[in-house]
Amino acid sequence: MPIIVNLDVMMAKRKVSLMELAERVGITNANLSILKTGKAKAIRFSTLEAICKELQCQPGDILEYVEEK
C-alpha cells in the first residue's frame, strides 16, 4: 500500500504508549493498534485530528505517501 503510517515513530518521539494515546484520543487500544501497524483501511478526520492534537504534530508527520514500483 502506498500510504505508510508513521504513528509508532511519532509516539516514540513523544514518549507516549499505545494505551495512553488511545485513552486520550478516545478510541480502543485495538483500533489504535490497527492504525499503528498500517492495517487500517481508513481513518476518520476527527480521529486524525485528535491524534495530531495529542502528539502535537501535523497529519503529514503520521501519514506518508510512497509511490509503488
Side-chain angles (χ1 to χ4, degrees):
M1 177 180 268
I3 302 294
I4 306 299
V5 180
N6 294 315
L7 181 57
D8 54 343
V9 174
M10 286 307 300
M11 289 172 59
K13 285 182 179 179
R14 302 296 191 255
K15 296 182 172 89
V16 176
S17 71
L18 183 79
M19 286 179 50
E20 187 179 356
L21 185 60
E23 187 176 307
R24 288 186 195 174
V25 173
I27 62 175
T28 66
N29 290 349
N31 284 340
L32 188 58
S33 180
I34 289 169
L35 178 60
K36 186 179 126 181
T37 58
K39 295 178 182 174
K41 298 290 183 199
I43 182 171
R44 292 179 184 206
F45 282 146
S46 59
T47 302
L48 183 59
E49 177 184 359
I51 290 171
C52 288
K53 183 177 179 179
E54 287 301 322
L55 296 179
Q56 298 178 348
C57 67
Q58 295 294 314
D61 296 328
I62 297 172
L63 303 174
E64 177 184 0
Y65 172 76
V66 178
E67 195 170 329
E68 286 185 307
K69 295 182 179 184

